[in-house]
Amino acid sequence: MSENIEQYLSQLRKELSGSDRATVQDAVSDAEEHLRSALEALRESQPDISEIEALPAIIEGYGTPAETAAAYQQIEERLGPPLGGRPQVKSRPALARFFGVFADPYAWGALLYLILSLVTGIIYFTWAVSGLSISIGVLVLIIGIPVTVLFMLSVRGLALVEGRLVEALLGVRMPRRAKYARKDVGWWQRLKPLLFGKRTWLALLYMVLQLPLGIIYFTLFITLITLALSLVAAPIIGPILHLPIVVTNNTLYYLPDWSTPLLAMGGVLLLTAIMHLARLIGRLHGKLARGLLVGE
Amino acid sequence: MDEDTATNRKFRKELSSGTVALVLLSVLDRGNEPMYGYQIAKLVGAGDADTPMGKQGAIYPVLRSLERSGLLQSKVEPSTSGPPRRYYHTTQFGRETLEQWTGIWEQTKSFVDNMLEGVDNE
């Protein structure tokens, strides 16, 4: 039997272990919202009732952790995890599948995200490193604590923004649970998870990692796209514009005309492969983001 | 009411898997403003022994799945006294679907009623 709401939630989480992470998040935040609302409503008529006295009746109506977990699992079974896995592409011919990537919004989203990641990487890295060093630097002073707290809050905020970005462009669901501000604990208890909690530090790690990753993604994709586009343009550059492809001191090298259509075809294939690569790296990056930015 | 045997429980669960969604959709459609889970649960009397809605906790996953199918929309708003609450309201698609579902329900209901009473073969 649960003695308080926190205990109920952790039992519920245990019952749901093995389910999709997003389902667990949904279930836990729904339960917390309901149980606290019910407790609040009960306290309007009986102001001094304690949580432990009130809870059995509330849970009687809401359902035990096992019953609640079963309700979520039943729906998950029927519908599949909430956006966790993308609907499987039905068996289409391999060629259609290969070129179909151009119609996949998440491939385009991933490409955009990966190229943008240089910019976001620079911002996150600068913010994380300078914020952290300023915070540590002024920690000996009296203003050190508020500066550090503000910085950590900004890290949480940026992590949320990045989560939205990942969700929109990479299609990886990044569930978030609005934290209930407990009134029965002091300000130190509330600050502790912010300063020492795993979530803030993992988010910081993610922000630092985003710069090297962003540089790699950006360089890789800009190089590949440039190469592919120049291949596609080969029939125009050679036979029509008569431009050489390599110029050394006094020698101009031209492509033989017959090779240019083949090169263009190679370019189209390469462009398609780039889209597949973007989607794949996007998925992997989404997993990383989910691992580091999503709590519990 | 009826006994709570395993067969009854199973039958009730099977019946409610569709009706709960219909009831929630219609309740949210009739209420003119967005509602949150606890409010809805109270309104439909879930968790009471004599309503066939199941436990209150069973409402939330249905709300989530209706939202996922685009019939409902929700937003989280902080509340002054308690935790942040997720407010649900019906979408245009939800309203259209409700109309169709109501039709399906009427059809099913009259069919089952007729069958239970025994149709007079003309």
Side-chain angles (χ1 to χ4, degrees):
Chain A
M1 202 64 221
S2 323
E3 290 179 356
N4 56 43
I5 291 175
E6 296 298 322
Q7 207 179 338
Y8 182 94
L9 296 180
S10 72
Q11 281 166 351
L12 178 59
R13 213 171 280 143
K14 208 182 293 165
E15 291 285 346
L16 278 167
S17 63
S19 294
D20 183 80
R21 230 173 168 178
T23 308
V24 182
Q25 282 271 16
D26 287 352
V28 169
S29 60
D30 287 343
E32 180 165 33
E33 178 192 318
H34 184 96
L35 298 178
R36 291 207 191 277
S37 298
L39 190 63
E40 217 58 52
L42 200 62
R43 278 193 178 143
E44 265 166 35
S45 52
Q46 297 160 269
D48 343 290
I49 192 161
S50 72
E51 201 169 309
I52 187 164
E53 286 169 330
L55 217 48
I58 294 175
I59 292 176
E60 174 62 33
Y62 189 71
T64 64
E67 285 171 327
T68 309
Y72 281 88
Q73 273 158 346
Q74 205 190 336
I75 297 243
E76 192 186 20
E77 243 165 62
R78 245 188 349 220
L79 296 169
L83 295 179
R86 231 157 274 132
Q88 286 297 307
V89 186
K90 282 168 225 89
S91 58
R92 281 185 298 165
L95 202 66
R97 259 207 323 269
F98 181 64
F99 286 105
V101 71
F102 285 108
D104 181 357
Y106 285 126
W108 290 102
L111 193 63
L112 181 64
Y113 177 89
L114 293 171
I115 290 173
L116 268 182
S117 65
L118 181 64
V119 181
T120 54
I122 292 173
I123 297 173
Y124 296 157
F125 185 87
T126 319
W127 189 256
V129 170
S130 51
L132 201 59
S133 26
I134 291 173
S135 299
I136 293 173
V138 295
L139 214 52
V140 288
L141 305 176
I142 201 91
I143 57 159
I145 302 272
V147 167
T148 310
V149 168
L150 279 179
F151 169 64
M152 292 305 201
L153 278 176
S154 78
V155 169
R156 287 277 177 95
L158 280 176
L160 272 187
V161 172
E162 172 69 11
R164 295 312 86 198
L165 211 57
V166 167
E167 198 167 280
L169 293 179
L170 301 182
V172 177
R173 198 173 166 225
M174 303 280 284
R176 66 196 149 147
R177 182 151 79 95
K179 271 278 174 234
Y180 174 67
R182 296 180 62 181
K183 292 193 200 80
D184 50 338
V185 293
W187 61 272
W188 175 242
Q189 287 294 320
R190 273 189 249 173
L191 279 185
K192 233 165 66 180
L194 180 68
L195 294 182
F196 303 110
K198 213 170 67 184
R199 272 182 70 188
T200 319
W201 290 97
L202 285 179
L204 261 176
L205 175 67
Y206 178 87
M207 288 169 70
V208 171
L209 270 181
Q210 184 81 346
L211 181 62
L213 288 178
I215 293 174
I216 295 171
Y217 297 154
F218 183 84
T219 322
L220 182 67
F221 280 94
I222 292 297
T223 315
L224 284 174
I225 291 171
T226 317
L227 179 64
L229 288 181
S230 55
L231 286 178
V232 172
I236 302 169
I237 294 170
I240 298 176
L241 299 176
H242 302 295
L243 292 172
I245 55 151
V246 178
V247 184
T248 57
N249 297 330
N250 295 316
T251 325
L252 306 175
Y253 293 91
Y254 292 90
L255 284 171
D257 281 357
W258 59 264
S259 71
T260 52
L262 291 176
L263 288 177
M265 264 167 13
V268 171
L269 286 182
L270 184 59
L271 272 182
T272 321
I274 290 171
M275 295 298 283
H276 279 282
L277 186 67
R279 192 163 61 174
L280 178 73
I281 295 186
R283 252 177 233 170
L284 291 178
H285 188 90
K287 280 210 181 109
L288 174 79
R290 194 163 157 157
L292 293 181
L293 298 180
V294 175
E296 54 205 31
Chain B
M1 231 165 73
D2 42 13
E3 279 177 80
D4 199 31
T5 63
T7 1
N8 287 356
R9 264 205 305 276
K10 184 162 176 286
F11 182 57
R12 211 177 289 138
K13 206 161 118 188
E14 278 166 0
L15 274 184
S16 73
S17 68
T19 49
V20 170
L22 174 62
V23 168
L24 292 180
L25 198 56
S26 97
V27 162
L28 279 167
D29 189 50
R30 243 180 302 124
N32 287 319
E33 47 195 38
M35 283 193 277
Y36 58 94
Y38 179 72
Q39 233 177 344
I40 303 169
K42 280 276 145 195
L43 196 69
V44 300
D48 299 348
D50 51 349
T51 39
M53 286 292 288
K55 296 283 183 186
Q56 292 164 337
I59 285 181
Y60 290 83
V62 180
L63 288 172
R64 296 256 181 196
S65 82
L66 287 175
E67 183 181 15
R68 234 180 295 152
S69 334
L71 305 178
L72 297 180
Q73 250 176 9
S74 75
K75 57 176 188 288
V76 178
E77 273 176 23
S79 67
T80 46
S81 56
R85 286 166 181 157
R86 187 174 284 277
Y87 286 82
Y88 288 93
H89 63 94
T90 45
T91 60
Q92 182 55 39
F93 178 51
R95 279 187 285 277
E96 290 161 14
T97 310
L98 174 64
E99 232 165 82
Q100 290 162 13
W101 284 10
T102 314
I104 297 172
W105 169 246
E106 295 294 342
Q107 216 180 358
T108 313
K109 197 171 63 177
S110 62
F111 169 75
V112 173
D113 281 346
N114 283 341
M115 284 299 142
L116 289 180
E117 283 160 17
V119 220
D120 302 322
N121 285 325
E122 285 162 28

